């Protein structure tokens, strides 16, 4: 770390100014940790490129998980804190450069996540009919950047769906595609999503896992939830549950034991007439997507798990029919202009950003862009606290250089920017609740960025009138 050059006493008469880039759970937890301590007076700007806060809680958790999405109400308490200012609809690197932001504040915490998708790296993956789970999730959650036309065209003609991956997101995609219209109505999905799913001809969904059921990463709760779908039947081949190695792992790991017990409950089921079949297949590695103008199937190789837990091909091949293939094999981070990235995460030392092997004064990182796409929403709380502890230690050591006294939001407004503040977000929130009430729902998500901003303008016009 660089030698202290600016003592903390150089900031008399004003609080420490911290910009948190990313208003998802990691950013909100970081803002909460800063605002909730009394050792150092702070003013936190919670910045997001979207007009809305909450990140993956709004645009990643499946809409049919109503209790999990209710986390927004908990996170909202931080937005209401007098030391925190939400500033949405601002893209750092486009609307304001990273250097400009850093000149205006004393410290920056990057918490913008890792929302990019990983590829399978197999032939045919570029064919129409092949999608990333991130594309499907963004669509059914009403993300403003979702490719609505592309996703809806594919979903509207898909009878056979293959989902590659055995994590919770893979099961989310399979479950949402298998749900009935009546089950989805209480969610906050945009209406165009509900209409598309209600009309979709999906009959069969196959979830592929490269290794055995003991190596699957989904939670038992997600797995058991599949068994409660009103119009779907879960199918598991009993032969997939006979591996002696899986039994040994189950004896050592209660999570594995619970998953195997849940899968055993599905083993031997037969597809019921008039229901969507959701088949969970293990030891099945996709080797190529088939088709000329679009996907028509997936060539799958049977695997076995070796002593090191790796999937080893057996040479036994078969074709699984598919009109739509959704890969769900992990997330990756992207580089913010001006910020270093190494293997999908920002290099750091206990949350302090590292540039060219040296800690960069006044720059910090938390969340997925810090540690990679691991853990659950609550994992971000501990992670953010570690980063904030490093920041506060640097304040105490006097190593932070003070930014300017002017407000970066004024700079943004002067160049024609349209930042969305907390009162504006409340207008969006109210508009979504009102739209939901029209259709007998608690909320309907506004999916289009222009619609979101129109709700802000309409509220401002009503207030002036």
């Amino acid at each position: 770390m660089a030698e202290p050059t600016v003592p903390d006493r150089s900031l008399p008469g004003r609080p420490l100014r911290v910009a948190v880039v990313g208003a998802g759970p990691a950013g909100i937890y970081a803002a909460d940790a800063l605002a909730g301590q009394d050792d150092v007076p702070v003013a936190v700007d919670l910045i997001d490129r979207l007009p809305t806060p909450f990140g993956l809680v709004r645009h990643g958790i499946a809409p049919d998980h109503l209790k999990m999405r209710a986390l927004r109400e908990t996170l909202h308490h931080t937005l209401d804190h007098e030391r925190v200012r939400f500033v949405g609809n601002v893209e750092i690197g486009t609307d304001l450069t990273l250097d400009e932001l850093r000149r205006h504040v004393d410290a920056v915490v990057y918490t913008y996540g890792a929302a990019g998708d990983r590829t399978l790296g197999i032939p045919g993956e570029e064919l129409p009919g092949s999608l990333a789970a991130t594309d499907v999730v963004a669509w059914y959650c009403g993300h403003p950047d979702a490719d609505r036309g592309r996703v809806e065209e594919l979903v509207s003609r898909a009878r056979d769906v293959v989902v590659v991956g055995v994590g919770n997101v893979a099961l989310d995609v399979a479950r949402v595609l298998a749900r009935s219209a009546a089950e989805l109505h209480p969610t906050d999905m945009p209406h165009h999503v509900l209409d598309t799913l209600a009309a979709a001809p999906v009959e069969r969904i196959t979830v592929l896992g490269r290794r055995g059921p003991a190596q699957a990463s989904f939670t038992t709760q997600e797995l058991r939830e599949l068994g409660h779908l009103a119009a779907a039947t879960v199918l598991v081949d009993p032969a997939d549950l006979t591996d002696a190695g899986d039994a040994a792992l189950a004896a050592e790991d209660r999570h594995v034991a619970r998953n195997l017990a849940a899968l055993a409950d599905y083993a031997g089921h037969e597809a019921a007439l008039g229901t969507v079949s959701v088949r969970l297949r293990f030891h099945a590695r996709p080797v190529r997507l088939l088709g000329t103008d679009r996907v028509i199937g997936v060539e799958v190789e049977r695997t076995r798990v070796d002593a090191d837990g790796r999937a080893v091909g057996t040479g036994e091949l078969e074709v699984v029919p598919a009109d739509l293939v959704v890969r769900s094999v992990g997330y990756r981070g992207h580089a913010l202009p001006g910020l270093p990235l190494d293997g999908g995460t920002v290099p750091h030392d206990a949350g302090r950003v590292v540039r060219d092997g040296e800690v960069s004064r006044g720059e910090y990182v938390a969340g997925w862009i810090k540690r990679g796409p691991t853990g659950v929403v609550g994992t971000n709380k501990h992670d953010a606290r570690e980063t904030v502890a490093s920041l506060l230690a640097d304040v105490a050591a006097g190593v932070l250089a003070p930014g300017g006294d002017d407000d970066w939001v004024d700079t943004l407004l002067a160049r024609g920017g349209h930042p969305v503040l907390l009162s504006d977000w409340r207008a969006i929130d109210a508009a979504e609740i009102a739209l939901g009430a029209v259709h007998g729902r608690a909320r309907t998500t506004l999916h289009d960025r222009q619609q979101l901003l129109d709700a802000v303008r309409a509220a401002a016009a009503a207030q002036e009138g």
Side-chain angles (χ1 to χ4, degrees), residues 299-322:
E299 187 173 60
V300 174
E301 181 180 22
R302 181 73 178 175
T303 69
R304 61 178 178 80
V305 178
D306 68 11
D308 296 321
R310 296 174 299 188
V312 178
T314 65
E316 180 184 344
L317 300 174
E318 68 171 297
V319 173
V320 178

mmCIF file with all atom_site columns, all heavy atoms in Angstrom, residues 299-322:
data_model
loop_
_atom_site.group_PDB
_atom_site.id
_atom_site.type_symbol
_atom_site.label_atom_id
_atom_site.label_alt_id
_atom_site.label_comp_id
_atom_site.label_asym_id
_atom_site.label_entity_id
_atom_site.label_seq_id
_atom_site.pdbx_PDB_ins_code
_atom_site.Cartn_x
_atom_site.Cartn_y
_atom_site.Cartn_z
_atom_site.occupancy
_atom_site.B_iso_or_equiv
_atom_site.pdbx_formal_charge
_atom_site.auth_seq_id
_atom_site.auth_comp_id
_atom_site.auth_asym_id
_atom_site.auth_atom_id
_atom_site.pdbx_PDB_model_num
ATOM 1   N N   . GLU A 1 299 ? -26.657 -32.952 -29.473 1.00 0.00 ? 299 GLU A N   1
ATOM 2   C CA  . GLU A 1 299 ? -25.957 -34.221 -29.378 1.00 0.00 ? 299 GLU A CA  1
ATOM 3   C C   . GLU A 1 299 ? -25.313 -34.304 -27.988 1.00 0.00 ? 299 GLU A C   1
ATOM 4   O O   . GLU A 1 299 ? -24.565 -33.404 -27.584 1.00 0.00 ? 299 GLU A O   1
ATOM 5   C CB  . GLU A 1 299 ? -24.889 -34.337 -30.460 1.00 0.00 ? 299 GLU A CB  1
ATOM 6   C CG  . GLU A 1 299 ? -24.255 -35.728 -30.509 1.00 0.00 ? 299 GLU A CG  1
ATOM 7   C CD  . GLU A 1 299 ? -23.324 -35.896 -31.683 1.00 0.00 ? 299 GLU A CD  1
ATOM 8   O OE1 . GLU A 1 299 ? -22.338 -35.133 -31.771 1.00 0.00 ? 299 GLU A OE1 1
ATOM 9   O OE2 . GLU A 1 299 ? -23.581 -36.791 -32.513 1.00 0.00 ? 299 GLU A OE2 1
ATOM 10  N N   . VAL A 1 300 ? -25.618 -35.374 -27.272 1.00 0.00 ? 300 VAL A N   1
ATOM 11  C CA  . VAL A 1 300 ? -25.213 -35.521 -25.878 1.00 0.00 ? 300 VAL A CA  1
ATOM 12  C C   . VAL A 1 300 ? -24.354 -36.768 -25.727 1.00 0.00 ? 300 VAL A C   1
ATOM 13  O O   . VAL A 1 300 ? -24.667 -37.834 -26.284 1.00 0.00 ? 300 VAL A O   1
ATOM 14  C CB  . VAL A 1 300 ? -26.462 -35.630 -24.970 1.00 0.00 ? 300 VAL A CB  1
ATOM 15  C CG1 . VAL A 1 300 ? -26.056 -35.921 -23.535 1.00 0.00 ? 300 VAL A CG1 1
ATOM 16  C CG2 . VAL A 1 300 ? -27.281 -34.352 -25.052 1.00 0.00 ? 300 VAL A CG2 1
ATOM 17  N N   . GLU A 1 301 ? -23.269 -36.642 -24.969 1.00 0.00 ? 301 GLU A N   1
ATOM 18  C CA  . GLU A 1 301 ? -22.400 -37.771 -24.673 1.00 0.00 ? 301 GLU A CA  1
ATOM 19  C C   . GLU A 1 301 ? -22.593 -38.210 -23.235 1.00 0.00 ? 301 GLU A C   1
ATOM 20  O O   . GLU A 1 301 ? -22.615 -37.394 -22.313 1.00 0.00 ? 301 GLU A O   1
ATOM 21  C CB  . GLU A 1 301 ? -20.934 -37.390 -24.888 1.00 0.00 ? 301 GLU A CB  1
ATOM 22  C CG  . GLU A 1 301 ? -19.968 -38.541 -24.627 1.00 0.00 ? 301 GLU A CG  1
ATOM 23  C CD  . GLU A 1 301 ? -18.512 -38.153 -24.833 1.00 0.00 ? 301 GLU A CD  1
ATOM 24  O OE1 . GLU A 1 301 ? -18.213 -36.933 -24.769 1.00 0.00 ? 301 GLU A OE1 1
ATOM 25  O OE2 . GLU A 1 301 ? -17.683 -39.054 -25.067 1.00 0.00 ? 301 GLU A OE2 1
ATOM 26  N N   . ARG A 1 302 ? -22.720 -39.510 -23.058 1.00 0.00 ? 302 ARG A N   1
ATOM 27  C CA  . ARG A 1 302 ? -22.800 -40.076 -21.721 1.00 0.00 ? 302 ARG A CA  1
ATOM 28  C C   . ARG A 1 302 ? -21.444 -39.920 -21.039 1.00 0.00 ? 302 ARG A C   1
ATOM 29  O O   . ARG A 1 302 ? -20.392 -40.106 -21.655 1.00 0.00 ? 302 ARG A O   1
ATOM 30  C CB  . ARG A 1 302 ? -23.168 -41.550 -21.791 1.00 0.00 ? 302 ARG A CB  1
ATOM 31  C CG  . ARG A 1 302 ? -23.302 -42.255 -20.446 1.00 0.00 ? 302 ARG A CG  1
ATOM 32  C CD  . ARG A 1 302 ? -24.560 -41.840 -19.726 1.00 0.00 ? 302 ARG A CD  1
ATOM 33  N NE  . ARG A 1 302 ? -24.698 -42.564 -18.450 1.00 0.00 ? 302 ARG A NE  1
ATOM 34  C CZ  . ARG A 1 302 ? -25.653 -42.327 -17.583 1.00 0.00 ? 302 ARG A CZ  1
ATOM 35  N NH1 . ARG A 1 302 ? -26.559 -41.392 -17.846 1.00 0.00 ? 302 ARG A NH1 1
ATOM 36  N NH2 . ARG A 1 302 ? -25.734 -43.004 -16.462 1.00 0.00 ? 302 ARG A NH2 1
ATOM 37  N N   . THR A 1 303 ? -21.432 -39.569 -19.755 1.00 0.00 ? 303 THR A N   1
ATOM 38  C CA  . THR A 1 303 ? -20.179 -39.387 -19.015 1.00 0.00 ? 303 THR A CA  1
ATOM 39  C C   . THR A 1 303 ? -20.175 -40.259 -17.766 1.00 0.00 ? 303 THR A C   1
ATOM 40  O O   . THR A 1 303 ? -21.199 -40.807 -17.343 1.00 0.00 ? 303 THR A O   1
ATOM 41  C CB  . THR A 1 303 ? -19.982 -37.918 -18.589 1.00 0.00 ? 303 THR A CB  1
ATOM 42  O OG1 . THR A 1 303 ? -20.959 -37.584 -17.594 1.00 0.00 ? 303 THR A OG1 1
ATOM 43  C CG2 . THR A 1 303 ? -20.081 -36.966 -19.767 1.00 0.00 ? 303 THR A CG2 1
ATOM 44  N N   . ARG A 1 304 ? -19.001 -40.338 -17.194 1.00 0.00 ? 304 ARG A N   1
ATOM 45  C CA  . ARG A 1 304 ? -18.845 -40.900 -15.853 1.00 0.00 ? 304 ARG A CA  1
ATOM 46  C C   . ARG A 1 304 ? -17.981 -39.918 -15.061 1.00 0.00 ? 304 ARG A C   1
ATOM 47  O O   . ARG A 1 304 ? -17.263 -39.101 -15.633 1.00 0.00 ? 304 ARG A O   1
ATOM 48  C CB  . ARG A 1 304 ? -18.178 -42.273 -15.901 1.00 0.00 ? 304 ARG A CB  1
ATOM 49  C CG  . ARG A 1 304 ? -16.787 -42.263 -16.496 1.00 0.00 ? 304 ARG A CG  1
ATOM 50  C CD  . ARG A 1 304 ? -16.147 -43.644 -16.485 1.00 0.00 ? 304 ARG A CD  1
ATOM 51  N NE  . ARG A 1 304 ? -14.827 -43.626 -17.105 1.00 0.00 ? 304 ARG A NE  1
ATOM 52  C CZ  . ARG A 1 304 ? -13.718 -43.218 -16.494 1.00 0.00 ? 304 ARG A CZ  1
ATOM 53  N NH1 . ARG A 1 304 ? -13.780 -42.808 -15.221 1.00 0.00 ? 304 ARG A NH1 1
ATOM 54  N NH2 . ARG A 1 304 ? -12.556 -43.217 -17.111 1.00 0.00 ? 304 ARG A NH2 1
ATOM 55  N N   . VAL A 1 305 ? -18.072 -39.992 -13.755 1.00 0.00 ? 305 VAL A N   1
ATOM 56  C CA  . VAL A 1 305 ? -17.302 -39.106 -12.887 1.00 0.00 ? 305 VAL A CA  1
ATOM 57  C C   . VAL A 1 305 ? -16.063 -39.853 -12.415 1.00 0.00 ? 305 VAL A C   1
ATOM 58  O O   . VAL A 1 305 ? -16.169 -40.942 -11.832 1.00 0.00 ? 305 VAL A O   1
ATOM 59  C CB  . VAL A 1 305 ? -18.138 -38.621 -11.687 1.00 0.00 ? 305 VAL A CB  1
ATOM 60  C CG1 . VAL A 1 305 ? -17.309 -37.735 -10.772 1.00 0.00 ? 305 VAL A CG1 1
ATOM 61  C CG2 . VAL A 1 305 ? -19.370 -37.866 -12.178 1.00 0.00 ? 305 VAL A CG2 1
ATOM 62  N N   . ASP A 1 306 ? -14.873 -39.271 -12.679 1.00 0.00 ? 306 ASP A N   1
ATOM 63  C CA  . ASP A 1 306 ? -13.643 -39.950 -12.277 1.00 0.00 ? 306 ASP A CA  1
ATOM 64  C C   . ASP A 1 306 ? -13.307 -39.673 -10.804 1.00 0.00 ? 306 ASP A C   1
ATOM 65  O O   . ASP A 1 306 ? -14.064 -38.990 -10.095 1.00 0.00 ? 306 ASP A O   1
ATOM 66  C CB  . ASP A 1 306 ? -12.474 -39.579 -13.202 1.00 0.00 ? 306 ASP A CB  1
ATOM 67  C CG  . ASP A 1 306 ? -12.030 -38.118 -13.068 1.00 0.00 ? 306 ASP A CG  1
ATOM 68  O OD1 . ASP A 1 306 ? -12.467 -37.431 -12.119 1.00 0.00 ? 306 ASP A OD1 1
ATOM 69  O OD2 . ASP A 1 306 ? -11.237 -37.661 -13.918 1.00 0.00 ? 306 ASP A OD2 1
ATOM 70  N N   . ALA A 1 307 ? -12.172 -40.165 -10.365 1.00 0.00 ? 307 ALA A N   1
ATOM 71  C CA  . ALA A 1 307 ? -11.798 -40.053 -8.951  1.00 0.00 ? 307 ALA A CA  1
ATOM 72  C C   . ALA A 1 307 ? -11.578 -38.619 -8.512  1.00 0.00 ? 307 ALA A C   1
ATOM 73  O O   . ALA A 1 307 ? -11.673 -38.303 -7.315  1.00 0.00 ? 307 ALA A O   1
ATOM 74  C CB  . ALA A 1 307 ? -10.533 -40.881 -8.684  1.00 0.00 ? 307 ALA A CB  1
ATOM 75  N N   . ASP A 1 308 ? -11.299 -37.731 -9.472  1.00 0.00 ? 308 ASP A N   1
ATOM 76  C CA  . ASP A 1 308 ? -11.093 -36.314 -9.159  1.00 0.00 ? 308 ASP A CA  1
ATOM 77  C C   . ASP A 1 308 ? -12.370 -35.497 -9.292  1.00 0.00 ? 308 ASP A C   1
ATOM 78  O O   . ASP A 1 308 ? -12.338 -34.268 -9.191  1.00 0.00 ? 308 ASP A O   1
ATOM 79  C CB  . ASP A 1 308 ? -10.012 -35.734 -10.076 1.00 0.00 ? 308 ASP A CB  1
ATOM 80  C CG  . ASP A 1 308 ? -8.657  -36.382 -9.850  1.00 0.00 ? 308 ASP A CG  1
ATOM 81  O OD1 . ASP A 1 308 ? -8.342  -36.648 -8.678  1.00 0.00 ? 308 ASP A OD1 1
ATOM 82  O OD2 . ASP A 1 308 ? -7.936  -36.626 -10.839 1.00 0.00 ? 308 ASP A OD2 1
ATOM 83  N N   . GLY A 1 309 ? -13.499 -36.155 -9.543  1.00 0.00 ? 309 GLY A N   1
ATOM 84  C CA  . GLY A 1 309 ? -14.770 -35.457 -9.651  1.00 0.00 ? 309 GLY A CA  1
ATOM 85  C C   . GLY A 1 309 ? -15.015 -34.826 -10.999 1.00 0.00 ? 309 GLY A C   1
ATOM 86  O O   . GLY A 1 309 ? -15.937 -34.008 -11.145 1.00 0.00 ? 309 GLY A O   1
ATOM 87  N N   . ARG A 1 310 ? -14.239 -35.205 -12.023 1.00 0.00 ? 310 ARG A N   1
ATOM 88  C CA  . ARG A 1 310 ? -14.402 -34.629 -13.361 1.00 0.00 ? 310 ARG A CA  1
ATOM 89  C C   . ARG A 1 310 ? -15.279 -35.529 -14.228 1.00 0.00 ? 310 ARG A C   1
ATOM 90  O O   . ARG A 1 310 ? -15.303 -36.748 -14.063 1.00 0.00 ? 310 ARG A O   1
ATOM 91  C CB  . ARG A 1 310 ? -13.040 -34.451 -14.018 1.00 0.00 ? 310 ARG A CB  1
ATOM 92  C CG  . ARG A 1 310 ? -12.129 -33.449 -13.314 1.00 0.00 ? 310 ARG A CG  1
ATOM 93  C CD  . ARG A 1 310 ? -10.752 -33.423 -13.933 1.00 0.00 ? 310 ARG A CD  1
ATOM 94  N NE  . ARG A 1 310 ? -10.100 -34.736 -13.836 1.00 0.00 ? 310 ARG A NE  1
ATOM 95  C CZ  . ARG A 1 310 ? -8.846  -34.960 -14.164 1.00 0.00 ? 310 ARG A CZ  1
ATOM 96  N NH1 . ARG A 1 310 ? -8.095  -33.960 -14.626 1.00 0.00 ? 310 ARG A NH1 1
ATOM 97  N NH2 . ARG A 1 310 ? -8.322  -36.167 -14.049 1.00 0.00 ? 310 ARG A NH2 1
ATOM 98  N N   . ALA A 1 311 ? -15.993 -34.886 -15.169 1.00 0.00 ? 311 ALA A N   1
ATOM 99  C CA  . ALA A 1 311 ? -16.806 -35.635 -16.120 1.00 0.00 ? 311 ALA A CA  1
ATOM 100 C C   . ALA A 1 311 ? -15.922 -36.153 -17.246 1.00 0.00 ? 311 ALA A C   1
ATOM 101 O O   . ALA A 1 311 ? -15.231 -35.382 -17.902 1.00 0.00 ? 311 ALA A O   1
ATOM 102 C CB  . ALA A 1 311 ? -17.906 -34.746 -16.683 1.00 0.00 ? 311 ALA A CB  1
ATOM 103 N N   . VAL A 1 312 ? -15.950 -37.460 -17.454 1.00 0.00 ? 312 VAL A N   1
ATOM 104 C CA  . VAL A 1 312 ? -15.145 -38.102 -18.492 1.00 0.00 ? 312 VAL A CA  1
ATOM 105 C C   . VAL A 1 312 ? -16.088 -38.737 -19.501 1.00 0.00 ? 312 VAL A C   1
ATOM 106 O O   . VAL A 1 312 ? -16.993 -39.502 -19.128 1.00 0.00 ? 312 VAL A O   1
ATOM 107 C CB  . VAL A 1 312 ? -14.206 -39.172 -17.895 1.00 0.00 ? 312 VAL A CB  1
ATOM 108 C CG1 . VAL A 1 312 ? -13.410 -39.857 -19.002 1.00 0.00 ? 312 VAL A CG1 1
ATOM 109 C CG2 . VAL A 1 312 ? -13.283 -38.546 -16.863 1.00 0.00 ? 312 VAL A CG2 1
ATOM 110 N N   . GLY A 1 313 ? -15.894 -38.414 -20.782 1.00 0.00 ? 313 GLY A N   1
ATOM 111 C CA  . GLY A 1 313 ? -16.764 -38.955 -21.806 1.00 0.00 ? 313 GLY A CA  1
ATOM 112 C C   . GLY A 1 313 ? -16.591 -40.452 -21.995 1.00 0.00 ? 313 GLY A C   1
ATOM 113 O O   . GLY A 1 313 ? -15.491 -40.987 -21.868 1.00 0.00 ? 313 GLY A O   1
ATOM 114 N N   . THR A 1 314 ? -17.705 -41.135 -22.304 1.00 0.00 ? 314 THR A N   1
ATOM 115 C CA  . THR A 1 314 ? -17.671 -42.580 -22.548 1.00 0.00 ? 314 THR A CA  1
ATOM 116 C C   . THR A 1 314 ? -17.740 -42.913 -24.025 1.00 0.00 ? 314 THR A C   1
ATOM 117 O O   . THR A 1 314 ? -17.585 -44.083 -24.397 1.00 0.00 ? 314 THR A O   1
ATOM 118 C CB  . THR A 1 314 ? -18.853 -43.263 -21.833 1.00 0.00 ? 314 THR A CB  1
ATOM 119 O OG1 . THR A 1 314 ? -20.085 -42.802 -22.419 1.00 0.00 ? 314 THR A OG1 1
ATOM 120 C CG2 . THR A 1 314 ? -18.838 -42.956 -20.340 1.00 0.00 ? 314 THR A CG2 1
ATOM 121 N N   . GLY A 1 315 ? -17.994 -41.903 -24.878 1.00 0.00 ? 315 GLY A N   1
ATOM 122 C CA  . GLY A 1 315 ? -18.144 -42.159 -26.299 1.00 0.00 ? 315 GLY A CA  1
ATOM 123 C C   . GLY A 1 315 ? -19.552 -42.552 -26.702 1.00 0.00 ? 315 GLY A C   1
ATOM 124 O O   . GLY A 1 315 ? -19.854 -42.669 -27.891 1.00 0.00 ? 315 GLY A O   1
ATOM 125 N N   . GLU A 1 316 ? -20.434 -42.744 -25.732 1.00 0.00 ? 316 GLU A N   1
ATOM 126 C CA  . GLU A 1 316 ? -21.822 -43.110 -26.016 1.00 0.00 ? 316 GLU A CA  1
ATOM 127 C C   . GLU A 1 316 ? -22.616 -41.834 -26.323 1.00 0.00 ? 316 GLU A C   1
ATOM 128 O O   . GLU A 1 316 ? -22.755 -40.958 -25.463 1.00 0.00 ? 316 GLU A O   1
ATOM 129 C CB  . GLU A 1 316 ? -22.412 -43.837 -24.807 1.00 0.00 ? 316 GLU A CB  1
ATOM 130 C CG  . GLU A 1 316 ? -23.857 -44.268 -24.986 1.00 0.00 ? 316 GLU A CG  1
ATOM 131 C CD  . GLU A 1 316 ? -24.420 -44.908 -23.732 1.00 0.00 ? 316 GLU A CD  1
ATOM 132 O OE1 . GLU A 1 316 ? -23.618 -45.292 -22.848 1.00 0.00 ? 316 GLU A OE1 1
ATOM 133 O OE2 . GLU A 1 316 ? -25.659 -45.003 -23.634 1.00 0.00 ? 316 GLU A OE2 1
ATOM 134 N N   . LEU A 1 317 ? -23.134 -41.724 -27.547 1.00 0.00 ? 317 LEU A N   1
ATOM 135 C CA  . LEU A 1 317 ? -23.801 -40.501 -28.010 1.00 0.00 ? 317 LEU A CA  1
ATOM 136 C C   . LEU A 1 317 ? -25.274 -40.737 -28.282 1.00 0.00 ? 317 LEU A C   1
ATOM 137 O O   . LEU A 1 317 ? -25.689 -41.840 -28.672 1.00 0.00 ? 317 LEU A O   1
ATOM 138 C CB  . LEU A 1 317 ? -23.131 -39.981 -29.281 1.00 0.00 ? 317 LEU A CB  1
ATOM 139 C CG  . LEU A 1 317 ? -21.645 -39.612 -29.198 1.00 0.00 ? 317 LEU A CG  1
ATOM 140 C CD1 . LEU A 1 317 ? -21.111 -39.265 -30.585 1.00 0.00 ? 317 LEU A CD1 1
ATOM 141 C CD2 . LEU A 1 317 ? -21.416 -38.466 -28.233 1.00 0.00 ? 317 LEU A CD2 1
ATOM 142 N N   . GLU A 1 318 ? -26.060 -39.690 -28.099 1.00 0.00 ? 318 GLU A N   1
ATOM 143 C CA  . GLU A 1 318 ? -27.467 -39.695 -28.499 1.00 0.00 ? 318 GLU A CA  1
ATOM 144 C C   . GLU A 1 318 ? -27.891 -38.271 -28.798 1.00 0.00 ? 318 GLU A C   1
ATOM 145 O O   . GLU A 1 318 ? -27.185 -37.306 -28.470 1.00 0.00 ? 318 GLU A O   1
ATOM 146 C CB  . GLU A 1 318 ? -28.352 -40.301 -27.413 1.00 0.00 ? 318 GLU A CB  1
ATOM 147 C CG  . GLU A 1 318 ? -28.441 -39.460 -26.146 1.00 0.00 ? 318 GLU A CG  1
ATOM 148 C CD  . GLU A 1 318 ? -29.483 -39.985 -25.184 1.00 0.00 ? 318 GLU A CD  1
ATOM 149 O OE1 . GLU A 1 318 ? -30.684 -39.986 -25.567 1.00 0.00 ? 318 GLU A OE1 1
ATOM 150 O OE2 . GLU A 1 318 ? -29.106 -40.370 -24.065 1.00 0.00 ? 318 GLU A OE2 1
ATOM 151 N N   . VAL A 1 319 ? -29.046 -38.133 -29.428 1.00 0.00 ? 319 VAL A N   1
ATOM 152 C CA  . VAL A 1 319 ? -29.560 -36.815 -29.785 1.00 0.00 ? 319 VAL A CA  1
ATOM 153 C C   . VAL A 1 319 ? -30.832 -36.539 -28.992 1.00 0.00 ? 319 VAL A C   1
ATOM 154 O O   . VAL A 1 319 ? -31.755 -37.369 -28.976 1.00 0.00 ? 319 VAL A O   1
ATOM 155 C CB  . VAL A 1 319 ? -29.834 -36.713 -31.300 1.00 0.00 ? 319 VAL A CB  1
ATOM 156 C CG1 . VAL A 1 319 ? -30.524 -35.384 -31.625 1.00 0.00 ? 319 VAL A CG1 1
ATOM 157 C CG2 . VAL A 1 319 ? -28.536 -36.845 -32.082 1.00 0.00 ? 319 VAL A CG2 1
ATOM 158 N N   . VAL A 1 320 ? -30.858 -35.382 -28.340 1.00 0.00 ? 320 VAL A N   1
ATOM 159 C CA  . VAL A 1 320 ? -32.053 -34.921 -27.630 1.00 0.00 ? 320 VAL A CA  1
ATOM 160 C C   . VAL A 1 320 ? -32.705 -33.833 -28.485 1.00 0.00 ? 320 VAL A C   1
ATOM 161 O O   . VAL A 1 320 ? -32.072 -32.819 -28.788 1.00 0.00 ? 320 VAL A O   1
ATOM 162 C CB  . VAL A 1 320 ? -31.693 -34.345 -26.246 1.00 0.00 ? 320 VAL A CB  1
ATOM 163 C CG1 . VAL A 1 320 ? -32.945 -33.823 -25.547 1.00 0.00 ? 320 VAL A CG1 1
ATOM 164 C CG2 . VAL A 1 320 ? -30.994 -35.385 -25.392 1.00 0.00 ? 320 VAL A CG2 1
ATOM 165 N N   . PRO A 1 321 ? -33.956 -34.012 -28.934 1.00 0.00 ? 321 PRO A N   1
ATOM 166 C CA  . PRO A 1 321 ? -34.622 -32.987 -29.750 1.00 0.00 ? 321 PRO A CA  1
ATOM 167 C C   . PRO A 1 321 ? -34.724 -31.670 -28.984 1.00 0.00 ? 321 PRO A C   1
ATOM 168 O O   . PRO A 1 321 ? -34.931 -31.652 -27.766 1.00 0.00 ? 321 PRO A O   1
ATOM 169 C CB  . PRO A 1 321 ? -36.009 -33.579 -30.018 1.00 0.00 ? 321 PRO A CB  1
ATOM 170 C CG  . PRO A 1 321 ? -35.849 -35.053 -29.793 1.00 0.00 ? 321 PRO A CG  1
ATOM 171 C CD  . PRO A 1 321 ? -34.807 -35.188 -28.721 1.00 0.00 ? 321 PRO A CD  1
ATOM 172 N N   . ALA A 1 322 ? -34.573 -30.564 -29.699 1.00 0.00 ? 322 ALA A N   1
ATOM 173 C CA  . ALA A 1 322 ? -34.640 -29.247 -29.050 1.00 0.00 ? 322 ALA A CA  1
ATOM 174 C C   . ALA A 1 322 ? -34.994 -28.167 -30.064 1.00 0.00 ? 322 ALA A C   1
ATOM 175 O O   . ALA A 1 322 ? -34.355 -28.073 -31.108 1.00 0.00 ? 322 ALA A O   1
ATOM 176 C CB  . ALA A 1 322 ? -33.322 -28.917 -28.371 1.00 0.00 ? 322 ALA A CB  1
#
